Amino acid sequence: MDIREVLAINLRKLRHARGLSQEELADRAEIDRTYISALERSVYAAGIDVVDRLARSLGVEAADLLTRPSGTGAKKRARGQTE
């Protein structure tokens, strides 16, 4: 899983957990809604400033948006692959 996918998964999960639409998150982070959509689809790689604005808008640390979901590495190792 590449870092774009990690961001996409975490962004969508946290946005849903906060009960926010893409439009609401975009307004809070002062980012275009279509950009939020593209990030959640792994179309773009977000710059560090954007990651920080999204994290602040979601009430988390930027690192939380870039942390790989638990279990991903274990599944790869179980199949004999490396990360």
Side-chain angles (χ1 to χ4, degrees):
M1 173 180 312
D2 72 17
I3 197 68
R4 287 183 190 190
E5 292 171 311
V6 170
L7 175 63
I9 289 167
N10 291 333
L11 181 59
R12 187 177 304 112
K13 179 180 71 172
L14 288 166
R15 181 176 61 76
H16 282 241
R18 304 293 185 278
L20 297 172
S21 68
Q22 288 180 346
E23 186 71 38
E24 291 167 321
L25 178 57
D27 287 342
R28 289 181 182 196
E30 298 179 354
I31 297 170
D32 191 82
R33 191 221 38 97
T34 59
Y35 191 61
I36 300 282
S37 173
L39 291 174
E40 289 188 357
R41 291 179 288 120
S42 304
V43 174
Y44 296 133
I48 195 71
D49 293 331
V50 170
V51 171
D52 185 57
R53 287 186 2 219
L54 289 167
R56 288 174 187 266
S57 298
L58 292 165
V60 298
E61 295 293 323
D64 295 329
L65 289 174
L66 301 174
T67 300
R68 294 183 191 284
S70 59
T72 354
K75 288 179 185 175
K76 285 183 177 181
R77 282 192 294 278
R79 287 187 260 144
Q81 299 174 348
T82 59
E83 291 186 347

